[in-house]
Amino acid sequence: MGEAATVVKNKQVLFKSHPIGAPKETDFQFCEDSTISLEVPEGSNGVLLKNLYLSCDPYMRFLMAPGSGIEEELSNYAVSSPIKGYGVSKVVDSKHPNFQNGDLVWGTTGWEEYSLITKPDDLTTIEHKDIPLSYYTGILGMPGLTAYAGFYEICKPKVGDKVYVSAAAGSIGQLVGQFAKSAGCYVVGSAGSKEKVDLLKNKLGFDDAFNYNEQEIDAALKRYFPEGIDIYFENVGGKALDTVVLNMRMHGRIALCGMISQYNLEKHEGVHNLIQLIFRNIRMEGFTSFAYRHVYSKMLDFMLPYIREKKIICVEDIAEGLENGPAAFVGLFTGRNVGKQLVALAAK
Amino acid sequence: MGEAATVVKNKQVLFKSHPIGAPKETDFQFCEDSTISLEVPEGSNGVLLKNLYLSCDPYMRFLMAPGSGIEEELSNYAVSSPIKGYGVSKVVDSKHPNFQNGDLVWGTTGWEEYSLITKPDDLTTIEHKDIPLSYYTGILGMPGLTAYAGFYEICKPKVGDKVYVSAAAGSIGQLVGQFAKSAGCYVVGSAGSKEKVDLLKNKLGFDDAFNYNEQEIDAALKRYFPEGIDIYFENVGGKALDTVVLNMRMHGRIALCGMISQYNLEKHEGVHNLIQLIFRNIRMEGFTSFAYRHVYSKMLDFMLPYIREKKIICVEDIAEGLENGPAAFVGLFTGRNVGKQLVALAAK
């Protein structure tokens, strides 16, 4: 039955232990001993991927907890198995009708050089190859869809709306700020370092930005939003959310995208000011990109011209080499990264 | 210039002191010494009302706190002035073009026999007089509009949705439950006594109901909603909200209408589970009836046939006499009332 399949070495990052508090590099294990066949087994309709870029995203912290996962689509990491996450990959072998050898795809893959994906239906074929491939972990991948759906579909911006974005230098926040400007809004972002604040103000076009480590949030919001906030794009949660609620205007909208300040806590901080949502007629809506897959092609139509004309840019923080993946991921929670954090494995 | 105006005695309930914790009858003062002219002063475009029914509503607790009020339209009570609230009244004199002597109106008035309303624009003339007048403090007044807007405009029910209503025997909850049934939903309510639970199950048509003083809420919700809750109509807040969030389904909707469990607290309880709004793509929306005045006539068109055919009923708890108003209001916070609490002053 055909010639023997090629078997190659396959470096991997395995999940080693459930973190307590912030994830540490020692919760991962870099492994150089594995091998993999580059052929999809007979009887499978899977694909064999060569991974080019891997994405570091805060939601992955949840999958490191013991438990059953946060979505139907997402199960928690099993100890001694490779970390799962979004990536950009090349199809090396396919027994699935939607994918051909040589196709470039983005979607969920493993933190390893090669991955066998047995249920590849959720992989998306990359059709626009003039865009840097790494962008499909960010601006044209899950974070891009999240920012687009959260801002346009949930916040429903109007010209002149006052927009506040937290974690604004992150993969999603940086896009929301640029969307807000293109929609004719006033937008202020917060981030945790002078470098990030400079980036927001000088490169990403935010009207203003502040460092939450240097300025008390309530005072800063009152200064930047003397008439209050119409749209809050929430990436941090906890006490920050409690403070923002007190600075919202009537009929404000809060897109709950993430709560990175809370992910390492055993019990999340309490939010005490929700009564203000009643008095101020505020809509607060949580969402994940899973629920907005149907707008991805609309998002592409919208984003591609902006990207090609460099009217929307994507700041990336690229770690080189799979072995540097754990440090890159851990850095998300110390604020080390500036922009979209990813890991480059191979150029093609 | 004309004959002297008739001056009459005017019994009043005055605001006496800012409550600490639950309001007490001693925070009010019943006063029999005042007098009032039954003629609107020259130069005013106000109306002079004879108050027939006064409404006891939980939001009034906020106006008893020191501070500047909760809405543009609502200022906090001034010590030694009459309590303000919704009521049904008869126009005794009018210098406003919209109102004639003898008109029946509902809207904000004072806790007194007669009130001079200097800015009567927000009063609504009662056109459908075949309905009991007291209903205009409830089912056809602010609570009715609140229930209607919250359920139809915010929760957007679909046939088969699973609906949970807290404080379900109250003026708003009882209507939401009946709306849910008429919309083809499954609805369970909670309340604080056996009498109220019986009312919900046997008179108001809820599919089921439970006493939160006898059943732990999380276990009850898991029993009544094994597949989770699609719509939560929130009237209590705090820990209850935290528990409900954990029992919501994907794409659930939470209408934040009130948080009566929190109103007497110096600091509201923290809500810790908001991350679930993200994972489950839940929309939580606060609202007040002020923002939905524009749907009142649509609401009337919808409700009047149901009321006339007794397909929607209104359970009232009527205190007789202005002097019993303070006890009736205080009872809202001990759960004493069964159904819409109001105070009857005069039949016409």
Side-chain angles (χ1 to χ4, degrees):
Chain A
M1 343 264 247
E3 28 182 333
T6 310
V7 171
V8 299
K9 286 263 192 188
N10 190 26
K11 293 177 189 166
Q12 298 179 306
V13 173
L14 308 179
F15 180 52
K16 192 169 162 196
S17 55
H18 303 291
I20 295 162
K24 306 172 300 297
E25 289 187 54
T26 50
D27 296 322
F28 302 84
Q29 180 176 9
F30 184 62
C31 167
E32 302 190 77
D33 302 336
S34 282
T35 59
I36 188 168
S37 162
L38 294 185
E39 210 168 84
V40 177
E42 289 298 328
S44 162
N45 66 348
V47 295
L48 198 293
L49 301 181
K50 179 182 184 188
N51 297 314
L52 309 180
Y53 296 99
L54 297 173
S55 182
C56 297
D57 295 297
Y59 80 87
M60 297 162 73
R61 171 66 181 82
F62 286 101
L63 306 184
M64 301 179 78
S68 58
I70 59 175
E71 291 261 1
E72 278 174 51
E73 294 88 342
L74 288 175
S75 55
N76 284 14
Y77 298 142
V79 169
S80 300
S81 292
I83 298 291
K84 300 274 178 211
Y86 285 96
V88 172
S89 312
K90 189 165 79 173
V91 176
V92 172
D93 188 30
S94 172
K95 289 199 167 65
H96 190 285
N98 293 358
F99 304 99
Q100 311 302 321
N101 287 13
D103 279 356
L104 293 164
V105 296
W106 73 268
T108 301
T109 187
W111 278 36
E112 53 194 347
E113 292 176 290
Y114 297 93
S115 297
L116 174 64
I117 307 295
T118 54
K119 292 177 182 169
D121 303 79
D122 287 339
L123 293 175
T124 301
T125 304
I126 294 174
E127 289 169 7
H128 307 279
K129 299 175 192 170
D130 58 315
I131 311 292
L133 283 183
S134 59
Y135 279 27
Y136 290 91
T137 67
I139 190 166
L140 291 180
M142 181 278 286
L145 179 56
T146 305
Y148 179 85
F151 189 66
Y152 290 104
E153 303 278 326
I154 290 181
C155 297
K156 299 192 195 305
K158 296 187 300 290
V159 171
D161 274 349
K162 316 295 184 198
V163 179
Y164 171 52
V165 186
S166 56
S171 63
I172 295 170
Q174 62 172 290
L175 296 176
V176 174
Q178 294 178 83
F179 292 161
K181 287 314 298 175
S182 85
C185 302
Y186 164 87
V187 60
V188 175
S190 58
S193 73
K194 181 177 183 311
E195 181 185 8
K196 292 179 188 179
V197 167
D198 288 346
L199 181 73
L200 296 175
K201 291 205 282 197
N202 303 324
K203 193 159 176 191
L204 293 168
F206 282 65
D207 290 290
D208 223 320
F210 66 93
N211 179 347
Y212 63 80
N213 288 315
E214 290 187 348
Q215 295 192 37
E216 197 271 318
I217 296 179
D218 189 55
L221 293 180
K222 286 186 167 47
R223 191 162 53 249
Y224 292 115
F225 298 96
E227 295 167 1
I229 298 164
D230 295 297
I231 290 176
Y232 174 44
F233 200 98
E234 164 66 307
N235 291 311
V236 303
K239 287 182 190 133
L241 176 56
D242 232 0
T243 302
V244 177
V245 164
L246 295 176
N247 288 280
M248 294 292 292
R249 284 173 98 165
M250 286 292 286
H251 302 289
R253 290 136 275 158
I254 300 176
L256 290 185
C257 173
M259 298 186 166
I260 195 168
S261 72
Q262 305 295 298
Y263 297 170
N264 295 329
L265 303 178
E266 197 72 18
K267 181 177 185 180
H268 286 197
E269 291 168 0
V271 175
H272 300 265
N273 296 326
L274 294 177
I275 191 82
Q276 296 297 331
L277 271 57
I278 299 180
F279 297 159
R280 301 175 195 213
N281 285 265
I282 291 171
R283 174 165 56 86
M284 180 156 96
E285 191 161 345
F287 70 105
T288 63
S289 63
F290 293 110
Y292 289 91
R293 285 178 180 138
H294 59 285
V295 303
Y296 183 71
S297 66
K298 190 168 127 189
M299 181 202 93
L300 277 184
D301 293 344
F302 173 86
M303 300 259 267
L304 285 168
Y306 277 107
I307 294 173
R308 288 179 177 131
E309 294 165 24
K310 301 205 188 322
K311 288 185 178 166
I312 289 183
I313 62 169
C314 178
V315 177
E316 298 181 320
D317 194 329
I318 304 182
E320 294 289 340
L322 184 62
E323 64 277 20
N324 293 314
F329 179 77
V330 166
L332 290 179
F333 295 89
T334 60
R336 197 206 49 73
N337 61 305
V338 179
K340 169 65 200 166
Q341 180 68 61
L342 62 145
V343 183
L345 272 66
K348 60 181 183 174
Chain B
M1 341 272 245
E3 27 183 336
T6 310
V7 172
V8 298
K9 286 262 189 188
N10 190 28
K11 292 179 190 167
Q12 297 180 306
V13 172
L14 308 179
F15 180 52
K16 189 169 162 196
S17 55
H18 302 292
I20 295 162
K24 305 173 299 300
E25 288 188 56
T26 51
D27 296 322
F28 301 84
Q29 180 176 6
F30 183 62
C31 167
E32 302 189 75
D33 304 335
S34 281
T35 59
I36 190 169
S37 162
L38 292 185
E39 208 168 86
V40 176
E42 290 297 329
S44 163
N45 67 347
V47 294
L48 199 291
L49 301 181
K50 179 181 184 188
N51 296 313
L52 309 181
Y53 295 99
L54 297 173
S55 181
C56 297
D57 294 298
Y59 80 87
M60 297 163 73
R61 171 66 181 82
F62 286 102
L63 306 185
M64 300 179 77
S68 58
I70 59 175
E71 291 260 0
E72 277 175 52
E73 293 89 344
L74 288 175
S75 56
N76 284 13
Y77 297 142
V79 169
S80 301
S81 291
I83 297 292
K84 301 273 177 210
Y86 285 97
V88 172
S89 312
K90 188 166 79 174
V91 176
V92 172
D93 188 31
S94 172
K95 292 202 165 65
H96 191 286
N98 291 0
F99 304 99
Q100 310 303 320
N101 286 13
D103 279 357
L104 292 164
V105 298
W106 73 267
T108 300
T109 188
W111 279 36
E112 52 194 347
E113 291 176 289
Y114 296 93
S115 296
L116 174 65
I117 307 296
T118 54
K119 292 177 180 169
D121 302 82
D122 287 339
L123 293 176
T124 302
T125 304
I126 294 174
E127 289 168 9
H128 307 280
K129 298 175 194 170
D130 59 315
I131 310 292
L133 282 183
S134 59
Y135 279 27
Y136 289 90
T137 67
I139 190 167
L140 290 180
M142 180 278 286
L145 179 56
T146 305
Y148 180 85
F151 189 65
Y152 289 104
E153 304 279 324
I154 290 180
C155 297
K156 298 191 197 305
K158 296 188 299 292
V159 171
D161 274 349
K162 316 294 183 199
V163 179
Y164 171 50
V165 185
S166 56
S171 64
I172 295 170
Q174 61 171 294
L175 297 177
V176 173
Q178 294 178 84
F179 292 161
K181 287 313 298 176
S182 85
C185 303
Y186 163 87
V187 59
V188 175
S190 58
S193 73
K194 182 175 183 311
E195 180 186 7
K196 293 179 188 178
V197 166
D198 287 346
L199 181 73
L200 296 175
K201 292 205 283 197
N202 302 325
K203 190 158 176 192
L204 293 167
F206 283 64
D207 291 291
D208 223 320
F210 64 94
N211 179 347
Y212 62 80
N213 287 315
E214 289 187 349
Q215 295 193 37
E216 198 271 315
I217 296 181
D218 189 55
L221 294 179
K222 286 186 168 49
R223 189 161 56 248
Y224 292 115
F225 298 96
E227 295 168 0
I229 298 164
D230 296 297
I231 290 176
Y232 175 43
F233 200 98
E234 163 66 306
N235 290 312
V236 303
K239 286 182 189 133
L241 176 56
D242 233 0
T243 302
V244 176
V245 163
L246 295 175
N247 288 281
M248 294 292 293
R249 284 173 99 166
M250 287 291 286
H251 303 288
R253 289 137 276 157
I254 300 175
L256 291 185
C257 173
M259 298 185 166
I260 196 169
S261 73
Q262 306 294 297
Y263 297 169
N264 295 328
L265 303 178
E266 196 71 19
K267 183 178 184 180
H268 286 196
E269 290 167 4
V271 174
H272 299 266
N273 296 325
L274 294 177
I275 190 82
Q276 296 298 331
L277 271 56
I278 300 180
F279 297 159
R280 302 176 194 212
N281 285 264
I282 290 171
R283 174 165 55 85
M284 181 157 95
E285 191 161 345
F287 71 106
T288 62
S289 62
F290 294 111
Y292 289 91
R293 284 178 181 141
H294 59 286
V295 303
Y296 183 70
S297 65
K298 191 169 128 190
M299 182 203 94
L300 276 185
D301 293 344
F302 173 86
M303 300 260 265
L304 285 169
Y306 277 106
I307 294 174
R308 288 179 176 134
E309 294 165 23
K310 300 205 187 321
K311 287 185 177 166
I312 289 184
I313 61 169
C314 177
V315 177
E316 299 181 318
D317 194 328
I318 305 183
E320 294 289 339
L322 184 62
E323 64 276 20
N324 292 315
F329 179 77
V330 166
L332 289 178
F333 296 89
T334 60
R336 198 206 49 75
N337 61 306
V338 179
K340 168 64 198 165
Q341 180 68 61
L342 62 144
V343 183
L345 273 65
K348 60 181 183 177

